[in-house]
Amino acid sequence: MVVHLYGQLAEMKVINAIAKKHNLKVIEDCAQSHGALLDIKRAGNLSDAAGFSFYPGKNLGALGDGGAITTNDSKLAQTVRALRNYGSQEKYKNIYQGVNSRLDELQAAILRVKLPHLDTETKKRQDIAEFYLNNISNKKIILPTLTTKESHVWHLFVIRTTHRDELQNYLLEKGIQTLIHYPIPPHQQEAYKEWNKLSFPISEQIHNEVVSLPMGSFLNHNQLQTIVSALNDF
């Protein structure tokens, strides 16, 4: 069972209870939630294990591809360490059919330097998101919602609009780049042909409307003002 962390701690408790009842493992997908809080618990600490991505564009990114698994289960941690190293806990002795999935030393060194600055990066992203939420005012645009400021680390700031193509072209003419993250719903991907004929109208609507605004600690106040003014004038 894989859980995307956009819910609440109470929901995670329910999910964990169901998993325990049926002897299942719960795995968090934390690829975009480095440092996010649900009540007093951090993302990656709410289940049996969690997967983090350190792709360069992530809130905590390396200079190349990388990732990590976190868990509070010492036995599971021991198994994962072996699986990432050819299934071996002792050189030349393979107890599992593993893979070579060790984090490169250079990437690990870079991440070790950047990790202490993650909270500062998160605060900047949260301030930018707050500026967007407080200042974007256009009936054609649906803004994201959240329960508490700390619950979202804003890897992306995604709005929705039924005028997506027009909005993107309009913003591009003003020198503002936007992106569409995940334009195709999972059930319409070629990899899942057996699901292609199924209908999930809410998912399909969301994928047809989402557009990501510029987000990152590199944005200054003047740039944010320009982006917001353009959105409000659309």
Side-chain angles (χ1 to χ4, degrees), residues 153-166:
V153 294
W154 302 105
H155 171 59
L156 303 173
F157 190 94
V158 184
I159 60 173
R160 290 172 52 195
T161 177
T162 56
H163 307 277
R164 184 169 68 185
D165 292 344
E166 298 97 312

Side-chain angles (χ1 to χ4, degrees), residues 70-117:
T70 61
T71 180
N72 292 315
D73 185 330
S74 58
K75 184 177 180 181
L76 179 58
Q78 189 177 34
T79 301
V80 170
R81 289 191 187 101
L83 288 172
R84 72 173 182 179
N85 187 42
Y86 307 110
S88 174
Q89 292 177 339
E90 183 180 344
K91 196 169 184 177
Y92 302 128
K93 293 184 179 180
N94 305 88
I95 55 177
Y96 306 113
Q97 295 180 17
V99 296
N100 179 4
S101 189
R102 294 166 297 188
L103 184 65
D104 177 81
E105 287 86 351
L106 177 61
Q107 305 304 334
I110 292 167
L111 290 165
R112 186 175 182 177
V113 172
K114 294 178 70 175
L115 181 58
H117 303 283

Side-chain angles (χ1 to χ4, degrees), residues 111-188:
L111 290 165
R112 186 175 182 177
V113 172
K114 294 178 70 175
L115 181 58
H117 303 283
L118 177 59
D119 286 345
T120 301
E121 170 72 16
T122 298
K123 178 64 167 57
K124 290 178 179 178
R125 287 173 176 268
Q126 289 172 339
D127 289 343
I128 291 169
E130 188 174 18
F131 185 86
Y132 278 150
L133 292 170
N134 290 339
N135 292 280
I136 296 174
S137 180
N138 187 324
K139 292 182 179 180
K140 298 177 184 176
I141 295 172
I142 300 173
L143 296 173
T145 59
L146 67 161
T147 52
T148 64
K149 182 178 179 180
E150 293 78 15
S151 67
H152 206 308
V153 294
W154 302 105
H155 171 59
L156 303 173
F157 190 94
V158 184
I159 60 173
R160 290 172 52 195
T161 177
T162 56
H163 307 277
R164 184 169 68 185
D165 292 344
E166 298 97 312
L167 176 61
Q168 280 198 294
N169 291 331
Y170 167 80
L171 292 175
L172 191 59
E173 289 174 358
K174 294 183 176 294
I176 302 169
Q177 184 184 30
T178 58
L179 291 173
I180 301 172
H181 287 91
Y182 318 115
I184 304 173
H187 68 283
Q188 292 182 348

